[in-house]
Amino acid sequence: MKRENLGEGKPQFKVAYHADYVHPVVDGHRFPMRKYDILYKRLLSGAFEYDFFEPDEVEKSLVIAVHDSNYIEDLYGLRLTRAQERKTGFKVDNQLVKRERIITKGTLQCVDYSLQYGVAMNIAGGTHHAYAAHGEGFCLINDQAVGAQYLLDQFPNYKILVVDLDVHQGNGTASIFRDNPSVFTFSMHGKNNYPMHKERSDLDLHLEDGIQDQEYLWLLETHLDRVWKAVDPDFVFYQCGADVLQSDKLGKLCLTKEGCKKRDMVVMAYARSQEVPLVACMGGGYSEEVALIVEIHQNTFETAAKLFF
């Protein structure tokens, strides 16, 4: 079935971007909001051609198919408590909620485009710390979880693989799909990093501090091969955070820029060779130099362009 869904005609590299991805935050905030605009401009002037599209806001019914309706009503109604806001890392207002809805719709539209063209990517997204009933860690709506359920609503027999290679465990995604055999969650993350209480993914690789390219890539290739054979996925969501980089302020791993590029190649080459549609979201990245974060993300897009187009 996965092979039958790939579209005919000239492929297009669909990329979700909206100006509202950049949300105003206070000076010194740990989240590097401006990376989205910089990345968009870098891709526009780069060596590859991308077909950018501007998402609108996701329908509430699709969000509450994954999230607790009371939580979503409180989020949309700006009724989160100060404690709940502190857990997310953001002051919640209408503009922020609109941003989260737009990002989520971008991922949903990427799902449709990837079924047609093999791959589609969101410049933002990968909000994997959002649980069904609360947000945390800069994540309020779990866009990939909403996307996975959206896909299952259309294709109930699909097997979905979530490959989460952010430096932080995809705890919200793991929790949401804990009892859903149609979604296999594979998270490869820092053992001694946020969140200190880890959820149970279908497969967790808890990495020691300071791991470098060679060992990281060997572990990824070995386990991804086993997972792929066991799951035989019809669709892949890829969370490709730039926070595995050695310079990251919130990570404890030691990958180089070249190691990050090879990581992306490993995951995407599996999907491409098996003709399995893939949606990638950029996830985290907290290096002091925003240019480094953007370079890692740009390499991810260029790797996909080389492989799929």
Side-chain angles (χ1 to χ4, degrees):
M1 192 173 192
K2 49 181 169 279
R3 295 171 179 82
E4 294 172 359
N5 281 328
L6 297 182
E8 301 294 334
K10 182 181 178 182
Q12 300 178 49
F13 194 165
K14 292 286 191 176
V15 175
Y17 177 73
H18 194 290
D20 285 347
Y21 282 6
V22 181
H23 181 74
V25 291
V26 297
D27 291 342
H29 197 285
R30 292 188 298 173
F31 196 87
M33 280 287 181
R34 61 194 181 98
K35 74 173 184 177
Y36 299 115
D37 179 62
I38 298 171
L39 175 58
Y40 170 64
K41 291 174 179 174
R42 287 280 294 272
L43 294 177
L44 275 177
S45 61
F48 297 92
E49 184 177 344
Y50 305 97
D51 188 3
F52 293 98
F53 67 92
E54 189 174 273
D56 53 9
E57 296 180 47
V58 67
E59 298 86 341
K60 186 187 294 186
S61 61
L62 298 177
V63 176
I64 61 176
V66 164
H67 286 282
D68 178 82
S69 59
N70 290 327
Y71 164 62
I72 294 302
E73 292 296 341
D74 285 344
L75 175 64
Y76 285 19
L78 308 183
R79 294 189 296 271
L80 297 189
T81 66
R82 285 298 299 129
Q84 288 174 307
E85 286 186 324
R86 284 193 295 270
K87 202 172 183 66
T88 70
F90 292 128
K91 171 64 178 174
V92 177
D93 57 24
N94 282 318
Q95 189 174 353
L96 180 68
V97 173
K98 178 182 177 183
R99 173 185 185 266
E100 304 308 307
R101 295 178 66 178
I102 290 172
I103 288 172
T104 303
K105 186 59 175 286
T107 297
L108 291 187
Q109 289 181 262
C110 281
V111 168
D112 292 333
Y113 285 130
S114 64
L115 289 171
Q116 187 173 0
Y117 300 118
V119 67
M121 295 170 63
N122 197 340
I123 280 181
T127 46
H128 60 166
H129 297 312
Y131 281 71
H134 73 270
E136 63 178 62
F138 308 134
C139 303
L140 289 92
I141 299 173
N142 193 315
D143 65 303
Q144 290 193 341
V146 175
Q149 187 58 54
Y150 170 75
L151 191 59
L152 289 173
D153 288 343
Q154 300 176 73
F155 306 105
N157 295 324
Y158 259 29
K159 294 293 184 182
I160 297 172
L161 173 61
V162 179
V163 179
D164 193 325
L165 301 186
D166 196 270
V167 78
H168 307 109
Q169 190 206 38
N171 53 342
T173 309
S175 174
I176 287 170
F177 292 117
R178 182 187 297 122
D179 299 317
N180 190 334
S182 295
V183 181
F184 189 101
T185 52
F186 169 30
S187 183
M188 188 167 164
H189 50 263
K191 176 182 177 181
N192 301 312
N193 214 324
Y194 175 91
M196 300 317 295
H197 168 73
K198 306 291 194 292
E199 298 292 342
R200 179 178 292 180
S201 308
D202 291 295
L203 176 61
D204 286 298
L205 293 186
H206 305 289
L207 305 176
E208 297 292 344
D209 296 354
I211 190 171
Q212 298 181 10
D213 291 353
Q214 184 175 1
E215 184 180 0
Y216 182 99
L217 292 169
W218 179 82
L219 286 169
L220 173 59
E221 290 174 358
T222 301
H223 288 86
L224 185 59
D225 184 66
R226 293 172 182 169
V227 166
W228 205 283
K229 290 175 180 176
V231 176
D232 187 25
D234 298 289
F235 198 97
V236 173
F237 287 94
Y238 178 32
Q239 161 80 326
C240 40
D243 44 14
V244 294
L245 197 63
Q246 183 176 7
S247 60
D248 197 85
K249 294 183 294 184
L250 302 184
K252 299 182 180 181
L253 308 187
C254 288
L255 268 66
T256 65
K257 290 186 286 187
E258 186 61 29
C260 292
K261 189 184 296 185
K262 290 179 179 178
R263 171 200 69 168
D264 295 337
M265 178 66 74
V266 168
V267 177
M268 292 180 178
Y270 263 94
R272 182 68 182 91
S273 65
Q274 300 298 313
E275 297 184 331
V276 175
L278 178 145
V279 166
C281 301
M282 293 305 98
Y286 309 95
S287 294
E288 190 70 41
E289 295 182 40
V290 175
L292 282 175
I293 306 170
V294 171
E295 183 177 355
I296 299 303
H297 290 327
Q298 183 175 5
N299 286 341
T300 302
F301 279 88
E302 293 182 352
T303 297
K306 291 172 185 176
L307 278 171
F308 287 88
F309 303 101

